[in-house]
Amino acid sequence: MKQAELQKLVEEISLQYFGLPFLHKATFNPRLRTTGGRYLTKSHHLEFNLKSYEQYGIEELVQIIKHELCHYHLHLQEKGYQHKDREFKECLKRTGGCRYSKPVAKSKERPYRYQLVCQKCGQTYLRKYKINPKHYRCGRCRGTLKMNQIYLTTRKNDG
């Protein structure tokens, strides 16, 4: 789905379920990781997680759009637009929006790029980011560490 199609869908849902026009921007934000969407109170724009749409389809995206439009319209009407507010909960119930979005699957592999080796006992530590080994000691024997750069080692991400 393209940005223009998302914008049109949000405008249609706003008119159909709220009876009010959506006058701001709706975009996909690739940086969203743990949420399906976001309402920006200062600019009044809406951002959506493209991965939620790709993973769960149009039905889930419509639910997320309704949720964010509840924030949008209640905020513009100066009513309770936060999750804790009664007006927000009633708006969700009235429009059929979801309270929480389904979790998005995370990437399963993260590459290790660096390996620290203890000079005393040989214990190895894998790291994603470069650190200064002079500031650290071995957790097993308190020996000094040496940094090696590695390329192909990966680990499974548990969460």
Side-chain angles (χ1 to χ4, degrees):
M1 176 178 278
K2 296 179 182 172
Q3 300 283 358
E5 294 170 352
L6 175 67
Q7 180 74 30
K8 186 178 179 198
L9 180 62
V10 172
E11 290 170 1
E12 289 172 358
I13 291 172
S14 181
L15 286 173
Q16 181 180 353
Y17 289 93
F18 297 88
L20 298 166
F22 177 71
L23 304 172
H24 294 84
K25 269 189 180 178
T27 58
F28 283 116
N29 183 346
R31 292 184 315 267
L32 292 181
R33 300 225 186 271
T34 60
T35 184
R38 177 165 63 181
Y39 167 60
L40 303 170
T41 55
K42 289 185 179 179
S43 65
H44 306 295
H45 298 318
L46 299 180
E47 295 179 342
F48 298 97
N49 189 338
L50 181 60
K51 290 180 182 169
S52 288
Y53 168 67
E54 291 171 346
Q55 192 170 348
Y56 297 110
I58 191 75
E59 296 84 16
E60 179 69 12
L61 180 62
V62 168
Q63 296 289 313
I64 295 168
I65 290 171
K66 289 177 185 178
H67 178 104
E68 299 308 325
L69 283 173
C70 284
H71 288 299
Y72 172 80
H73 288 298
L74 289 170
H75 184 246
L76 292 179
Q77 295 169 11
E78 297 180 357
K79 294 181 179 178
Y81 65 93
Q82 296 178 341
H83 290 119
K84 64 183 178 181
D85 295 324
R86 182 178 43 84
E87 291 148 334
F88 178 78
K89 292 174 184 174
E90 289 171 357
C91 181
L92 272 182
K93 217 179 261 186
R94 189 173 58 248
T95 60
C98 61
R99 181 94 162 114
Y100 304 102
S101 62
K102 294 178 183 175
V104 179
K106 297 179 183 176
S107 174
K108 294 295 179 195
E109 292 187 2
R110 274 196 257 163
Y112 284 123
R113 295 177 55 206
Y114 301 97
Q115 180 183 43
L116 295 163
V117 181
C118 176
Q119 300 298 295
K120 193 172 177 183
C121 70
Q123 172 74 28
T124 62
Y125 301 94
L126 297 175
R127 292 287 176 264
K128 184 176 178 182
Y129 300 105
K130 191 172 186 176
I131 64 167
N132 185 349
K134 291 180 182 177
H135 294 130
Y136 299 92
R137 293 286 186 157
C138 175
R140 183 190 285 174
C141 71
R142 310 288 298 150
T144 59
L145 301 173
K146 181 183 175 192
M147 175 83 70
N148 296 326
Q149 190 165 4
I150 54 177
Y151 297 98
L152 299 174
T153 307
T154 60
R155 73 170 170 160
K156 292 285 181 187
N157 183 4
D158 294 322

